Amino acid sequence: GCSAILAEKLAQRRGTEATMAPEVQLGEPYTEMCDVYSYSIVLIALYSAKSEEDFFNELCGNENKNQIQNKILLENLRPKVPSNAPVW
């Protein structure tokens, strides 16, 4: 059925580290919520007027990408929503 097709499509790792959901990066099973995470990162970057990569680099500050990636994956680090983002 449709769930088997969806599961097959979601079995492949896709995207960039800057926008990829943590569970995808960790190789864990994932669902459509991973797309929601990735889309939210893209939206935050758009409202910040920065590319996803620039946004990720800004999040890193003085730390290297591996340190920040570990904080995203293991410590639940998430970017702040810009103050100019619309509220629904």
Side-chain angles (χ1 to χ4, degrees), residues 3 10-11 18 21 29 31 38 63 65 68 73 80 84 86:
S3 61
L10 293 179
T31 67
S38 297
E63 300 180 73
K65 285 188 179 184
I68 272 301
L73 297 174
K80 293 181 182 178
N84 65 333

Side-chain angles (χ1 to χ4, degrees), residues 14-50:
R14 298 175 190 252
T16 64
E17 287 182 352
T19 60
M20 195 180 299
E23 55 268 43
V24 176
Q25 292 187 42
L26 292 170
E28 296 175 357
Y30 60 100
T31 67
E32 297 93 337
M33 292 307 295
C34 295
D35 291 333
V36 172
Y37 175 91
S38 297
Y39 186 62
S40 67
I41 297 297
V42 171
L43 286 178
I44 290 171
L46 285 171
Y47 281 112
S48 300
K50 297 178 170 85

Side-chain angles (χ1 to χ4, degrees), residues 22 26 28 66-78:
L26 292 170
E28 296 175 357
N66 289 336
Q67 290 171 315
I68 272 301
Q69 204 63 33
N70 284 337
K71 287 185 178 183
I72 291 170
L73 297 174
L74 306 173
E75 298 176 20
N76 228 12
L77 175 67
R78 299 295 181 264

